[in-house]
Amino acid sequence: PKPLGTALAGGELRATLRPYQETGVTWLNFLAKLGLGACLADDMGLGKTVQVIALLLSRRAASGRGTRTEERRTKNAPTLLVVPASLIANWLHELSRFAPSLRVYVAHASAVPAEELRADPGRALDAVDVAITTYGTVLRAGWLADRTWDLVVLDEAQAIKNPGAKQTRAIKKLRGRARLALTGTPVENRLGDLWSIFDFLCPGLLGSAEAFGKFAKRMA
């Protein structure tokens, strides 16, 4: 698809994207509309965060969620952003800096009481655009997998490189219209790490772990 520039974000993005970032946002938006998963594997410092924020604004602009009527607020699901706990503050800062119009809910023990975290917040989530949580919280708060989100976005997606880990299995139960993984290190030690990420993004695309492992061995 041809890059459409910051107009994709409904004019609400408080940043000027570089040409490759505009291309990235257009690509992510294209795949999300098709319900396909995407892995954004730019190196650190190349602007993965701002591309995701522009994508969120784009999807809100397309759906009309920016209006204040109750019907518009509850018609579309928010995006679920799963991050390491150490990055919650950074995401909140970047969201307020580049997209202050986005409404954000933090589903983490550092922001809400434990009893609220254990149960689906219901209408509190219906009125926001983005819910931020952590990998550990997904393990403990089963209601996160009961909802259907607009997008499910993983930051530092190498956290699910081990397909047999409880954390990975919990993440793969999350339901979204499309899925996005952000990582600067898509392959750290072996190609199996990449298989696990794509098993989340597009289940079945690379076959089973066993079949992919045999294929990788033939390439060695």
Side-chain angles (χ1 to χ4, degrees):
K2 182 180 179 181
L4 299 178
T6 55
L8 266 175
E12 295 190 39
L13 182 67
R14 295 190 178 181
T16 300
L17 297 178
R18 298 185 176 108
Y20 73 86
Q21 293 171 332
E22 291 189 357
T23 300
V25 174
T26 304
W27 174 70
L28 295 174
N29 198 50
F30 175 73
L31 292 179
K33 285 180 178 179
L34 294 177
L36 299 176
C39 180
L40 186 57
D42 289 344
D43 286 337
M44 184 182 297
L46 293 183
K48 293 189 291 292
T49 300
V50 74
Q51 290 179 68
V52 171
I53 293 172
L55 174 66
L56 300 182
L57 287 170
S58 171
R59 289 182 69 79
R60 189 177 73 165
S63 68
R65 293 192 79 233
T67 63
R68 293 183 176 276
T69 67
E70 186 67 19
E71 179 183 0
R72 290 293 190 181
R73 279 204 301 267
T74 59
K75 182 179 178 182
N76 297 285
T79 283
L80 180 65
L81 176 59
V82 185
V83 307
S86 60
L87 293 184
I88 292 176
N90 181 70
W91 271 98
L92 287 172
H93 176 265
E94 299 293 84
L95 284 163
S96 65
R97 176 186 177 190
F98 296 125
S101 64
L102 288 177
R103 296 158 294 194
V104 182
Y105 178 91
V106 179
H108 186 254
S110 63
V112 296
E115 60 272 15
E116 182 178 337
L117 194 59
R118 285 193 293 267
D120 189 331
R123 292 177 66 84
L125 280 176
D126 292 336
V128 303
D129 302 297
V130 187
I132 302 177
T133 194
T134 64
Y135 289 94
T137 303
V138 173
L139 264 175
R140 296 185 292 273
W143 59 266
L144 288 165
D146 293 335
R147 280 180 165 258
T148 298
W149 305 90
D150 182 34
L151 304 178
V152 177
V153 181
L154 306 185
D155 194 9
E156 302 293 346
Q158 62 271 17
I160 64 165
K161 67 179 183 179
N162 182 354
K166 288 183 179 179
Q167 176 171 279
T168 301
R169 294 199 299 269
I171 291 294
K172 291 181 180 180
K173 291 179 181 178
L174 296 172
R175 297 181 296 175
R177 297 183 181 115
R179 294 174 168 187
L180 172 59
L182 311 179
T183 175
T185 54
V187 180
E188 289 185 303
N189 299 309
R190 53 195 178 90
L191 282 175
D193 299 352
L194 188 64
W195 177 88
S196 187
I197 291 175
F198 271 86
D199 186 52
F200 163 76
L201 294 173
C202 300
L205 179 66
L206 299 182
S208 67
E210 181 181 5
F212 185 78
K214 291 178 179 179
F215 170 77
K217 286 182 180 179
R218 292 198 300 269
M219 294 175 60

